[in-house]
Amino acid sequence: MYHHRRRISTLQKIILAITITSTHQSILVSSWCLKSLHSNRFNIMSTMKTALSSASSSQEDEANSSGGSLLVSAMHRISLTTDDDDTSPSTNIRLLLASQSPRRREILDMMGLSNRYTAQPSPLDETALQLELSRQDITPQKYARTLAERKAHAMGLALSANGKSGNGITLIIGSDTIVDLEGSIMEKPNDEAEACSMLRRLSGNWHEVHTGVAVYGVGAGMNTSSGDNVKCMFSFTDTARVKFATLSDKDIQSYVDSKEPMDKAGSYGIQGIGGQLVESMVGDFFTVMGLPMHRLSRELSKAIASLEC
C-alpha cells in the first residue's frame, strides 16, 4: 500500500529561485522539480508573482530604510504655523493649501499636518479657466491636472509679487476633483435641479473620479527661466472608479434636500451622507474625497528631499 501511494504521486513542487540584478534590471529565474504529496497543489504563476512581489518589496524596504519614502519621515522639515523664525535650515519649508475646501483640509489634518500648513483660496479665475478648457480636446485626467497646476501657480505668482514668500521656500498645493461619466465631466452643480439630474445619470452606473494635484515651490531658492521664483515640483492625476447603487427618485430628492451635494463635484460626497449612494469602488478613497493621501505623501517626500540636495 505504501509503495502504491508513492507510485501514483505525480505532482511536483516548484521551487523558484529568483535573482534580481538591479544594475541591468534583469530577472533570472531557475526552477527545480521535486516530488511532493498528492495534497500539495501549487499554481506556478501565482507562486512567481508572490516571489517577485516579495523581492520587489525587499528592494524597496532596503532602499527606503535610510531616508524614508513617505512624508511622515520628513514632517520635521516643514515649519510649524506658529514658528515666526523661518531662518532655521532644518525647518525652512512652509506648506500652503491653495484651497478653502474643508475636505482637503481634513485630509491634511489626518496626515498630521494640522499645525504645519495654512490655507487660502487661489486668486485664479477658475470659472474662466474651466470655460477655456471645455473648448479644448483634452482628457478629463488632463483637465483636472491642469486646473490643479494653474491654481498652485497663480498662488505662487501672487506670493512672489507681494513679497510674501519669506526667507525660506513655500510649497503650494493645488488640487481639483471632477467626476467623469463616460467622458462627460461633472463639476459642482449650479442648482438643486442640476444636482438631481447628475445623480440620476450616476444612478446604477460606474463612473471615474479624477483628482489632479500640483505642488509649486516659491522662494529665493526656486531658480526658473522666467525669473519669477515659482517652480512646479510635481503634478499628477489620481483616478478611482466608483459604482453607484440604483437610486429611487425619493432617495435622490432626499439627498439633495440635505444640501450636501451643492458644493461637490458630481453632486455627492463619499465621506458624508453621499457614502450611502456608493455600492463599491476601486482605488483610493481619499482621491474621491478630494486629495489622494498616499500618493501626495510620497510625492511631497520626494520634493522635500530634492530641496535638501
Side-chain angles (χ1 to χ4, degrees):
M1 185 67 176
Y2 172 77
H3 293 290
H4 175 67
R5 289 181 63 185
R6 290 193 62 182
R7 188 167 59 252
I8 66 173
S9 180
T10 59
L11 296 180
Q12 296 175 320
K13 179 180 180 182
I14 305 301
I15 301 177
L16 297 171
I18 298 178
T19 304
I20 299 178
T21 307
S22 58
T23 304
H24 299 91
Q25 296 182 334
S26 61
I27 301 177
L28 304 176
V29 180
S30 56
S31 64
W32 292 267
C33 298
L34 300 175
K35 291 182 179 179
S36 181
L37 296 175
H38 188 273
S39 60
N40 291 329
R41 297 176 181 270
F42 292 92
N43 182 298
I44 297 176
M45 292 304 295
S46 176
T47 306
M48 289 181 69
K49 288 179 181 179
T50 300
L52 286 169
S53 176
S54 177
S56 176
S57 296
S58 296
Q59 278 197 328
E60 186 175 345
D61 291 342
E62 183 178 352
N64 296 334
S65 60
S66 58
S69 63
L70 298 175
L71 184 62
V72 65
S73 299
M75 205 88 76
H76 63 284
R77 294 283 286 110
I78 302 173
S79 300
L80 295 170
T81 55
T82 55
D83 189 359
D84 295 328
D85 181 13
D86 58 9
T87 60
S88 172
S90 62
T91 58
N92 63 346
I93 298 173
R94 292 191 179 94
L95 198 60
L96 190 156
L97 175 65
S99 171
Q100 290 285 49
S101 165
R103 275 82 61 187
R104 295 191 178 106
R105 294 202 304 270
E106 184 179 354
I107 291 170
L108 291 183
D109 290 347
M110 284 190 283
M111 292 175 70
L113 293 167
S114 59
N115 60 346
R116 294 184 184 273
Y117 78 94
T118 56
Q120 63 184 92
S122 171
L124 177 74
D125 186 344
E126 190 173 340
T127 301
L129 179 57
Q130 288 172 340
L131 182 60
E132 176 189 332
L133 294 176
S134 68
R135 295 169 178 164
Q136 300 177 16
D137 184 20
I138 61 174
T139 65
Q141 292 90 334
K142 186 176 181 181
Y143 179 96
R145 188 176 73 249
T146 301
L147 278 166
E149 290 172 345
R150 296 283 190 90
K151 287 178 183 180
H153 187 236
M155 178 62 76
L157 291 177
L159 290 181
S160 181
N162 296 331
K164 295 182 179 180
S165 57
N167 296 325
I169 293 172
T170 299
L171 295 180
I172 304 166
I173 303 173
S175 186
D176 192 81
T177 300
I178 60 170
V179 169
D180 168 12
L181 179 62
E182 299 178 344
S184 176
I185 295 173
M186 293 182 175
E187 294 276 6
K188 299 172 185 176
N190 292 313
D191 51 40
E192 292 188 1
E194 187 176 18
C196 288
S197 175
M198 287 184 182
L199 292 170
R200 288 191 187 97
R201 292 173 63 193
L202 293 173
S203 174
N205 294 316
W206 281 94
H207 63 271
E208 293 184 327
V209 179
H210 309 294
T211 292
V213 178
V215 168
Y216 276 68
V218 57
M222 297 288 101
N223 298 317
T224 62
S225 57
S226 59
D228 55 18
N229 294 328
V230 181
K231 177 182 178 182
C232 181
M233 306 299 293
F234 62 84
S235 67
F236 63 83
T237 299
D238 201 76
T239 299
R241 299 186 68 239
V242 180
K243 171 68 161 58
F244 258 32
T246 300
L247 308 175
S248 68
D249 287 341
K250 185 175 182 179
D251 289 332
I252 291 173
Q253 189 59 58
S254 296
Y255 180 49
V256 173
D257 288 344
S258 75
K259 307 300 181 184
E260 184 180 86
M262 302 315 299
D263 65 339
K264 296 172 180 62
S267 300
Y268 77 95
I270 195 171
Q271 74 285 347
I273 301 171
Q276 298 179 49
L277 316 182
V278 175
E279 192 171 271
S280 60
M281 67 166 290
V282 179
D284 187 347
F285 171 89
F286 294 106
T287 294
V288 184
M289 188 172 169
L291 203 59
M293 184 188 293
H294 176 75
R295 193 166 177 185
L296 176 62
S297 173
R298 282 190 174 277
E299 295 301 328
L300 272 176
S301 178
K302 291 178 187 177
I304 290 172
S306 72
L307 294 174
E308 295 175 342
C309 296

